[in-house]
Amino acid sequence: MPGPEAAAGVAGAGNRGAQDSEKRLAVLISGRGSNLKALIDACADGRVNGRIVVVISNRPSAPGLAHAREAGIPQVLIDHRRYPDREAFDRALGDSLASHQPDLVVLAGFMRVLTPGLVRRFENRMVNIHPSLLPDLRGLDTHARALAAGVAHHGASVHFVTTELDSGPVVMQARVPVCPGDTPETLAARVQAAEHRLYPAAVEMICSGRVHAASDNIWCDGQRLERPLLLDPAPETKKSCVGTTSS
């Protein structure tokens, strides 16, 4: 099996043959949708062999919905405040998702903790991006916590969603250096730039069929991964404290 760097390189490749059918992607957002925009661009230029068939938001004012409108992608609003409890909201969300028949559900800044029922409904077909090198720094405020911990490297992880928060098997990670004088804001900007390359690369690995999840493990090219794939392996050894490298 090719190493992580080779796999990441393939994930960033251009258009595949016409015989490979596009996968149907549903993207969930709550906010600005910068990762949604990265995925829209990657689908448009052939770096992801997929098509975003719907963008769903739980917030009417989510700025990211503008990205979907500009790209001509259908949008659905399911305002969580209109439902009596989390279970009722997730049932409505699940029904809406199912109606669009997605091959993959992509959480891109969707600020809701999902119920086990919804997660199981899309088991092994739902991914999330988290701003840390999982399993480190699960939960919120990861950039401030990384600085407080004094770590040399920070980053982002794409993982399959399971019933335990931020604990699903990790597909791929991107690492960035933590620089002297960093604030949570400067570190967040560096991580976000990496996310915009990482998410399309990981989603393409899944859309291409090279990566899938089963039995709490990630399989790549028919073999179980012992560790997550790494995008741009160890870029900090080449360009310390200058942000992320190009794909």
Side-chain angles (χ1 to χ4, degrees):
M1 183 184 73
E5 63 275 17
V10 170
N15 286 310
R16 295 182 177 274
Q19 70 273 18
D20 291 339
S21 60
E22 290 179 330
K23 297 301 183 182
R24 297 172 61 86
L25 310 178
V27 183
L28 308 186
I29 66 170
S30 295
R32 293 175 297 172
S34 66
N35 277 307
L36 166 64
K37 181 62 166 63
L39 288 165
I40 290 172
D41 291 345
C43 289
D45 65 23
R47 286 178 289 124
V48 171
N49 189 36
R51 177 167 60 92
I52 301 174
V53 296
V54 67
V55 172
I56 301 177
S57 177
N58 66 308
R59 293 180 177 172
S61 60
L65 289 171
H67 297 312
R69 285 194 295 271
E70 291 166 4
I73 299 169
Q75 308 126 62
V76 174
L77 172 64
I78 307 177
D79 191 338
H80 64 276
R81 297 170 299 181
R82 296 181 177 272
Y83 293 84
D85 52 38
R86 192 177 300 276
E87 287 74 17
F89 170 77
D90 276 10
R91 281 194 298 272
L93 175 59
D95 289 345
S96 181
L97 283 169
S99 72
H100 290 89
Q101 301 179 311
D103 296 298
L104 187 68
V105 179
V106 183
L107 278 59
F110 190 63
M111 303 306 291
R112 298 283 299 176
V113 176
L114 304 180
T115 58
L118 179 62
V119 172
R120 294 190 183 104
R121 191 169 178 178
F122 296 94
E123 186 175 12
N124 296 331
R125 290 191 292 142
M126 181 182 287
V127 292
N128 182 48
I129 190 164
H130 183 74
S132 81
L133 297 173
L134 293 172
D136 296 338
L137 302 177
R138 295 170 180 162
L140 301 175
D141 302 320
T142 61
H143 310 305
R145 290 162 59 202
L147 292 174
V151 297
H153 306 104
H154 190 37
S157 305
V158 176
H159 65 94
F160 280 92
V161 177
T162 62
T163 55
E164 186 178 351
L165 184 66
D166 299 333
S167 296
V170 177
V171 177
M172 186 183 289
Q173 294 180 321
R175 299 176 69 190
V176 302
V178 178
C179 300
D182 259 337
T183 65
E185 292 74 23
T186 61
L187 185 54
R190 192 176 303 117
V191 170
Q192 188 174 69
E195 288 181 6
H196 295 165
R197 296 179 299 111
L198 172 66
Y199 221 177
V203 168
E204 167 58 10
M205 291 293 286
I206 299 167
C207 287
S208 71
R210 293 191 62 192
V211 163
H212 71 279
S215 303
D216 295 324
N217 290 302
I218 298 290
W219 297 81
C220 181
D221 295 338
Q223 298 187 41
R224 185 171 65 86
L225 286 183
E226 298 296 333
R227 60 186 182 278
L229 301 172
L230 184 64
L231 185 70
D232 286 348
E236 69 282 355
T237 65
K238 300 176 183 178
K239 296 187 178 182
S240 180
C241 293
V242 293
T244 56
T245 63
S246 61
S247 296

